[in-house]
Amino acid sequence: GRQLQLREVGGILLQAATVDNWSEIQNFEAKPDDLLICTYPKSGTTWIQEIVDMIEQNGDVAKCQRAIIQHRHPFIEWARPPQPSARNAKDCMVSYYHFQRMNQVLPDPGTWEAYFETFISGKVGWGSWFDHVKGWWEIKDRYQVLFLFYEDMKRDPKCEIQKVVQFMGKSLDETVLDKIVQETSFEKMKENPMTNRSTVPKFILDQSISPFMRKGTVGDWKNHFTVTQNERFDEIYRQKMEGISINFCMEL
Ligand code: A3P
């Protein structure tokens, strides 16, 4: 396996390059009309980034082709840049596992059994899924936060995209909205070199191990979790999410 280690800042494990930029991240000041996307890894970050840019460009595909998504929506730790997007923990764990297999600048995830423990303990890059989701859920009503669920976006993309449009204070024609729904489908984004990470060199993302646009479904966890793992996970989830009235759809 890869001999790579994450580094810790304030109890959260991060990629070394992120830690190197830590003072810049801490000194980041948002402007009043900035839109920050605050996803836990593998919860549909790229998807919502593309949707937001499509809305900003009024559905103009050519304008959205001007650069790769990482440049149109820079990560706060990489450059300059709230809108949390949450995905159920089980599918998120599966997606993150495959991502760590192919991402050569993150630690090797080891076996699925080992990764299951790593994910539950929160000792993964950018911290614990539980802390992220709980944290945003608890403050969402006190700030201007639009909380979106990956599963809702899969079930009814038009309705969820419409929420984003409203949140951004815009209104779009029905035809533009329909176009955005089409252009941001998994199939389209998997083919699109500006969103599928195909321009990232193989020594960073090795898509022959697992494609960045992998499956894009709800319920893939059923192909990974054993019955025992599932029961154990549900119990841990109950403990960690106690008192939180959040409901995740686990299959469509
Ligand atoms: P899977 O690994 O389950 O396929 P992030 O962008 O936060 O890293 O999230 C990546 C996950 O979102 C991957 O999940 C990826 O396939 C999925 N995804 C990306 N674009 C999508 C889209 N347009 N529709 C549905 N899922 C999408």
Side-chain angles (χ1 to χ4, degrees):
R2 271 162 256 144
Q3 297 303 310
L4 259 166
Q5 290 210 326
L6 297 169
R7 282 162 57 189
E8 196 201 294
V9 176
I12 293 182
L13 293 175
L14 296 164
Q15 235 174 359
T18 303
V19 178
D20 291 340
N21 284 339
W22 195 248
S23 63
E24 245 192 86
I25 297 164
Q26 284 219 299
N27 294 329
F28 172 77
E29 272 186 47
K31 295 182 212 81
D33 59 352
D34 275 352
L35 182 81
L36 304 182
I37 296 173
C38 308
T39 46
Y40 186 74
K42 312 320 291 174
S43 299
T45 319
T46 319
W47 192 9
I48 192 70
Q49 285 174 328
E50 187 68 0
I51 288 172
V52 167
D53 198 33
M54 280 292 278
I55 294 170
E56 271 169 358
Q57 309 304 333
N58 286 301
D60 189 329
V61 177
K63 283 190 183 155
C64 290
Q65 297 283 334
R66 71 193 181 280
I68 55 173
I69 193 71
Q70 303 95 296
H71 293 167
R72 285 179 283 141
H73 275 281
F75 286 125
I76 198 167
E77 59 255 51
W78 299 124
R80 306 262 81 196
Q83 181 175 351
S85 145
R87 186 182 196 181
N88 80 71
K90 294 177 190 175
D91 281 331
C92 193
M93 187 196 298
V94 168
S95 182
Y96 212 162
Y97 168 67
H98 290 294
F99 185 60
Q100 280 196 227
R101 287 176 52 232
M102 61 87 84
N103 189 324
Q104 307 302 304
V105 293
L106 284 179
D108 189 309
T111 62
W112 164 251
E113 290 72 27
Y115 193 72
F116 183 87
E117 302 302 329
T118 308
F119 187 91
I120 283 176
S121 71
K123 294 200 172 85
V124 287
W126 298 278
S128 145
W129 179 94
F130 302 95
D131 292 344
H132 173 94
V133 171
K134 261 197 296 201
W136 284 104
W137 187 254
E138 280 168 347
I139 63 140
K140 71 175 173 28
D141 300 327
R142 273 186 277 143
Y143 298 91
Q144 241 194 314
V145 167
L146 176 67
F147 202 103
L148 295 171
F149 290 92
Y150 180 96
E151 294 76 16
D152 291 343
M153 288 167 63
K154 279 301 286 190
R155 199 189 42 215
D156 192 346
K158 192 168 174 178
C159 172
E160 297 308 299
I161 292 172
Q162 181 61 51
K163 286 184 193 168
V164 181
V165 171
Q166 262 172 21
F167 184 75
M168 291 169 70
K170 302 217 355 150
S171 75
L172 294 181
D173 287 346
E174 192 82 3
T175 49
V176 174
L177 202 58
D178 286 333
K179 191 168 162 201
I180 295 177
V181 171
Q182 275 175 27
E183 295 295 330
T184 58
S185 72
F186 178 76
E187 291 69 26
K188 280 276 184 152
M189 285 181 59
K190 190 177 170 74
E191 292 306 310
N192 182 351
M194 297 303 167
T195 53
N196 66 14
R197 302 292 206 275
S198 56
T199 57
V200 178
K202 197 173 172 174
F203 67 83
I204 300 177
L205 297 182
D206 188 346
Q207 303 219 29
S208 70
I209 297 176
S210 178
F212 183 82
M213 294 287 170
R214 197 183 57 89
K215 279 198 178 172
T217 58
V218 178
D220 192 35
W221 63 270
K222 292 188 174 176
N223 301 316
H224 292 75
F225 280 58
T226 64
V227 172
T228 315
Q229 280 175 336
N230 194 38
E231 283 170 359
R232 173 128 183 275
F233 189 88
D234 286 345
E235 181 51 34
I236 287 163
Y237 185 95
R238 263 192 296 276
Q239 289 166 15
K240 291 198 189 267
M241 301 297 277
E242 211 191 324
I244 307 284
S245 61
I246 191 168
N247 246 319
F248 281 94
C249 157
M250 303 304 293
E251 61 189 307
L252 284 184

